[in-house]
C-alpha cells in the first residue's frame, strides 16, 4: 500500500467539516430552544396582560354597579326633610 502525501490535508479537511457540522447543529438547536423559550415567555406575558385587563375591567364594572346602586338607594332617603334645631349655649 502506497503512502499518500496529501493524507494529512485530507484528514484535516474532513475533520474541520465534521467540526463545522457539529458547531452549526449546536447553533441551530440553541436558536430553536431560544425561539421556543421566547415564545413561551411571550405567551405567558400576553396571558398575564389579558387576564389583568379582564380583572381591571371587572373591578371597574363592579364599582360602577355598586355606585349606581348606592345612588339609587340614597335618592329615596334624601326626599325626607330633616328637622334641624339650633344649639344655643
Amino acid at each position: 500500500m502506497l503512502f499518500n502525501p496529501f493524507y494529512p490535508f485530507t484528514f484535516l479537511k474532513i475533520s474541520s467539516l465534521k467540526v463545522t457540522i457539529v458547531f452549526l447543529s449546536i447553533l441551530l438547536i440553541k436558536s430553536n430552544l431560544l425561539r421556543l423559550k421566547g415564545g413561551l415567555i411571550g405567551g405567558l406575558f400576553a396571558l398575564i396582560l389579558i387576564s389583568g385587563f379582564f380583572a381591571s375591567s371587572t373591578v371597574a364594572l363592579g364599582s360602577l354597579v355598586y355606585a349606581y346602586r348606592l345612588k339609587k338607594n340614597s335618592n329615596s332617603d334624601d326626599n325626607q326633610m330633616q328637622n334641624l334645631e339650633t344649639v344655643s349655649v
Side-chain angles (χ1 to χ4, degrees):
M1 183 165 173
L2 295 173
F3 180 69
N4 186 358
F6 297 111
Y7 180 75
F9 295 117
T10 308
F11 176 74
L12 287 177
K13 278 197 252 181
I14 293 173
S15 296
S16 65
L17 182 62
K18 286 180 181 180
V19 169
T20 304
I21 289 172
V22 169
F23 183 68
L24 289 176
S25 298
I26 289 171
L27 288 178
L28 180 65
I29 292 170
K30 179 184 171 197
S31 69
N32 283 338
L33 288 176
L34 286 175
R35 186 173 25 162
L36 179 66
K37 184 175 77 170
L40 289 175
I41 291 172
L44 184 63
F45 185 69
L47 183 65
I48 289 170
L49 282 177
I50 291 171
S51 62
F53 174 74
F54 282 135
S56 63
S57 299
T58 304
V59 168
L61 183 64
S63 64
L64 287 175
V65 169
Y66 181 71
Y68 176 73
R69 286 186 182 174
L70 280 181
K71 184 178 178 184
K72 188 176 177 182
N73 290 339
S74 68
N75 283 343
S76 62
D77 295 339
D78 286 343
N79 293 336
Q80 299 173 355
M81 284 292 281
Q82 292 182 358
N83 295 328
L84 299 177
E85 298 178 7
T86 58
V87 176
S88 59
V89 179

